[in-house]
Amino acid sequence: MTTMRIEHSAPLLLTAAFLGAPSWAQTPATTPTVSNLEVGLVLDGAFSSRERALGQRERGFGLGHNELSLAGAVDNLFQARATAVLHSHDGETELELEEAFVETTTLPAGLQVRAGRFLASLGYLNEQHVHADDFVERPLLYRAFLGSHYFDDGLRLSWTAPTRLYWRSTVEVLGGRQLVPESSNDPRAGAVAASTKIGGDWNASNSWQLGLSYLHNRRKAVMEEEDPDHDHDHAHGSRFGGRHLVIADAVWKWAPGGNNRQQQLRVSAEYARVSNLNEFARSSDVHEAGYLSVVYRFAPQWEAGVRVDELRVREPHGDHFHSGRLREASAMLAWKPTHFSALRLQFTGQRDRGGFDDAGNSVQLQYVMSLGAHGAHSF
């Protein structure tokens, strides 16, 4: 029997969001009206032939990342967003607040401040909403180190440089509890993240972006020793964590004459390294993961893509470590009749190279449907 579990902070925050969030579009008036409110709903569901190692899609039909978003301009100085997410996890239906933040709109010199709960600016994919992904589930890198997508409570300062090339840098001070849900009682605990991205257009048909990000996690899990097959009760959280996480990412996109609606090739790759796993770890005891993704829009309504992933970990067991290695390859075909709907068929094969006995092959059929306001996706 499916049960409902609601995060303890969600009801009050959701009520405040529903009653108070106006539109993203700024207006000269200092008192916005209810008609400025923008509401967006994303429905995500999938059928999976079986569960996968480090996967978050259950066998059979299950809810994916269903989002209800409210956004708008508070006044001529601030804008706000709240996003509630409904999904299935371990036979239960969970409702949680993924975003609830305010941010400035008029600071000088390319500066912007964001406060509240938001997606951390880490890697290429983490700051993007899951429904914008090209595959049914995120790469192993994100599922193993960031709980698929890492959001937290905190404060962000970002700066966009006044240069011809796009250059944006951010610094974030975060609570860290979403990353390590069951952490020790340490008054110094928390997390600090920093990232920088640079990109531009090579010509009318080619564009690129490079990124580098770092996360310093000060929270320490209550239990250093875990079974490699153990999964957190919380749907998110780092499965393989450490003090230091570094991610490098690169993206290249090609579209003839810049018309990406008719035809487009997207190539992306990321590499991540986690170090200082615990007090017994040596310099060689690190987690590593990386992936390469290629997606080709060969017709206005059709896309095909492949992605290869590899994960290597050193699982802590007290004062010693066990090695684990997992390989994954995915192939997908997606039909997108409009910008608001998508049907995706995907085959994923996993190979256990040690420590992942639940690795296996799966076939998944996914739908993603958007209603109402739908913001533009990032690069």
Side-chain angles (χ1 to χ4, degrees), residues 10 20 24 29 49 52-53 61 78 82 97 99 105 140 188 289 294 306 309 345 358:
W24 279 113
S49 62
R52 292 183 292 161
F61 183 80
F78 302 97
L97 196 65
E99 293 178 308
T105 58
L140 290 175
R188 303 173 302 163
V294 180
V306 294
D309 291 61
L345 177 65
D358 54 345

Side-chain angles (χ1 to χ4, degrees), residues 12 15 25 69 87 124 196 202 211-212 225 235 270 281 298-300 358:
L12 290 178
T15 301
S69 295
H87 60 96
Y124 173 57
T196 188
W202 184 261
L212 183 66
E225 180 175 346
E270 295 190 70
F298 57 89
D358 54 345

Side-chain angles (χ1 to χ4, degrees), residues 3 14 32 61-62 88 114 129 138 157 162 221-222 247 266 305 339:
T3 61
L14 279 175
F61 183 80
S88 300
R114 176 180 293 187
H129 285 202
R138 290 210 157 163
L157 174 64
V222 173
I247 306 177
R266 304 190 294 273
H339 185 63

